[in-house]
């Protein structure tokens, strides 16, 4: 689906475990494709009919839980936030 580097999805979903390496790979690929064109429909985000059907099969897979896909993202966000200093966190310092 996505032909570009997946460095950000590899790190963002480092802890992803959908119980099958193929599902993990498909989740990363779909995320990359959908993020590349966030306002596009699924068929437009995918490269052709085969990838579109693969996306819909993934979405319809009863063994794939949305929480399992988001959990690694939540973990990465918590790690990123913990690593920020108060001055890097935002404009809060200037309000004092």
């Amino acid at each position: 689906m996505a032909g570009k580097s997946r460095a950000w999805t590899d790190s963002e979903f480092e802890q992803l475990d959908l119980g099958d390496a193929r599902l993990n790979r498909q989740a990363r690929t779909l995320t990359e494709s959908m993020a590349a064109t966030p306002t596009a429909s699924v068929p437009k985000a995918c490269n052709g009919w085969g990838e579109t059907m693969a996306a819909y099969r993934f979405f319809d897979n009863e063994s794939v839980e949305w929480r399992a896909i988001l959990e690694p993202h939540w973990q990465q966000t918590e790690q990123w936030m913990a690593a920020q200093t108060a001055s890097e966190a935002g404009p809060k310092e200037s309000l004092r």
Side-chain angles (χ1 to χ4, degrees), residues 11-60:
S11 63
E12 190 72 16
F13 293 114
E14 184 177 356
Q15 303 299 318
L16 181 66
D17 183 10
L18 299 177
D20 185 315
R22 294 168 298 180
L23 291 175
N24 294 345
R25 189 171 43 252
Q26 184 73 4
R28 286 183 178 99
T29 301
L30 277 170
T31 301
E32 187 73 22
S33 294
M34 301 300 283
T37 51
T39 60
S41 64
V42 173
K44 292 217 186 272
C46 296
N47 295 317
W49 186 245
E51 289 185 8
T52 300
M53 292 308 297
Y56 285 125
R57 281 192 304 273
F58 179 83
F59 297 145
D60 199 38

